[in-house]
Amino acid sequence: MEVRYDTHPNDAMFYTTEELRGHYLIENLFEKGKINTVYSHVDRIIVGGATPGSDALKLEAGDELRAAYFLERRELGIINIGAPGKVTLDGVEYSLGNKDGLYVGMGTKDVKFESDDEANPAKFYFNSAPAHTTYPTVFIDMEKANKRPIGSMEDSNKRTIYQYIHPAVLKTCQLSMGLTKLEEGSMWNTMPCHTHERRMEVYLYFDLPEDAAVFHLMGQPQETRHIVMHNEQAVISPSWSIHSGVGTHCYTFIWGMVGENQDFDDMDHCKTNELK
């Protein structure tokens, strides 16, 4: 498990390109036969990717958590962005197709990931947050998710927000998670942009052609920077930072939030003509 520390906005404005990428970008989440995880000290979120090959992969706590098992003090959200696979929780099996999701409550001891076809593996993306109580495990697909169409073709940001792990769908301690799918011809997400001091956020960009890129905008509204991102890469956004992006092609992204509240609309909006 890689550990990333928090940064102050006054420091971040002086980072080089490589320093920005080293602090915030997560490049290699999906490697066949491995579980890759990043533990961020920004609200102590864990970001991970499990890509099972011929064998099942077990989610271990590791030395970093000082726990008997991964979910001893945590909750977990999973969305599969690959081919069909299975997640087994204390012996109970859940089948997840592409863009199917799963919420797993605190106290689940045994978490295993499998691919249905080794040659065409599942890619289980997950976020985990500290938890204070146990809520039931829930399977969520795009039909069960809370849908919020937003944006317009005129503004190049027509998209649908699918709220998977959200108070409108199920109960969690603090984790919120879902995906946003842009329509063909749209390139911008979350614009006009915003910050939310009470929550941090992580984006995973995917469904991008290999030769495409997303220019992810971050930083304080009057001190913006960008990180160039490619398919199936994630980025950490501290609460003081905007988080928006524009692609050379339409794409889908998964957002995950942890922090003080779960009010999706608790944002501090930034006027586009005031960004610098």
Side-chain angles (χ1 to χ4, degrees):
M1 186 181 297
E2 180 186 355
V3 177
R4 304 267 185 104
Y5 291 95
D6 201 355
T7 53
H8 194 281
N10 289 348
D11 296 327
M13 70 175 67
F14 296 108
Y15 287 162
T16 65
T17 297
E18 286 307 309
E19 286 171 329
L20 278 176
R21 294 172 70 85
H23 280 290
Y24 305 116
L25 179 64
I26 305 172
E27 295 187 80
N28 299 308
L29 277 171
F30 302 102
E31 295 184 79
K32 191 173 181 180
K34 293 184 178 181
I35 298 177
N36 292 329
T37 53
V38 173
Y39 181 111
S40 172
H41 279 259
V42 183
D43 285 319
R44 300 193 180 273
I45 192 171
I46 293 177
V47 182
T51 313
S54 56
D55 299 318
L57 298 175
K58 182 176 180 179
L59 186 60
E60 304 280 5
D63 292 339
E64 293 80 5
L65 295 186
R66 298 292 194 275
Y69 52 95
F70 191 91
L71 294 179
E72 183 179 12
R73 302 184 297 266
R74 288 184 159 268
E75 58 186 354
L76 179 70
I78 304 166
I79 297 177
N80 180 17
I81 68 167
K86 298 179 182 66
V87 178
T88 303
L89 307 173
D90 289 342
V92 180
E93 189 177 280
Y94 296 85
S95 294
L96 271 67
N98 184 263
K99 297 184 177 65
D100 286 345
L102 194 65
Y103 170 76
V104 187
M106 183 183 74
T108 301
K109 292 184 177 180
D110 190 50
V111 180
K112 292 180 181 177
F113 302 97
E114 296 178 75
S115 294
D116 288 356
D117 180 2
E118 176 189 355
N120 191 19
K123 295 180 179 180
F124 297 104
Y125 175 70
F126 58 87
N127 291 169
S128 173
H132 61 272
T133 192
T134 299
Y135 288 109
T137 293
V138 179
F139 171 85
I140 317 106
D141 58 16
M142 293 184 82
E143 290 302 312
K144 187 173 182 178
N146 189 46
K147 301 175 188 63
R148 293 182 61 170
I150 193 170
S152 68
M153 293 304 295
E154 290 78 10
D155 292 326
S156 301
N157 65 357
K158 190 172 184 180
R159 60 203 189 276
T160 302
I161 299 170
Y162 294 86
Q163 296 170 330
Y164 280 54
I165 298 173
H166 182 272
V169 179
L170 54 88
K171 287 186 176 181
T172 70
C173 293
Q174 62 166 314
L175 179 64
S176 297
M177 197 172 177
L179 66 82
T180 300
K181 184 174 178 57
L182 275 69
E183 295 203 11
E184 196 75 33
S186 286
M187 301 171 293
W188 283 97
N189 68 69
T190 323
M191 184 60 76
C193 61
H194 59 266
T195 60
H196 29 70
E197 285 289 342
R198 290 145 295 281
R199 299 185 307 282
M200 64 82 69
E201 192 158 7
V202 176
Y203 279 3
L204 172 80
Y205 291 100
F206 68 107
D207 284 349
L208 262 173
E210 290 303 316
D211 60 349
V214 170
F215 290 76
H216 179 83
L217 304 180
M218 63 155 297
Q220 292 181 301
Q222 278 71 52
E223 277 285 348
T224 62
R225 301 290 186 271
H226 74 270
I227 298 176
V228 178
M229 299 181 59
H230 299 284
N231 191 42
E232 298 180 358
Q233 294 182 346
V235 62
I236 298 167
S237 177
S239 59
W240 49 261
S241 176
I242 66 169
H243 35 284
S244 186
V246 60
T248 61
H249 189 280
C250 66
Y251 52 88
T252 305
F253 69 99
I254 293 173
W255 43 267
M257 292 185 282
V258 303
E260 184 173 331
N261 69 26
Q262 294 178 299
D263 183 354
F264 190 82
D265 295 315
D266 177 12
M267 307 173 189
D268 299 306
H269 292 279
C270 309
K271 294 182 180 179
T272 304
N273 61 1
E274 294 179 358
L275 294 174
K276 295 180 181 178

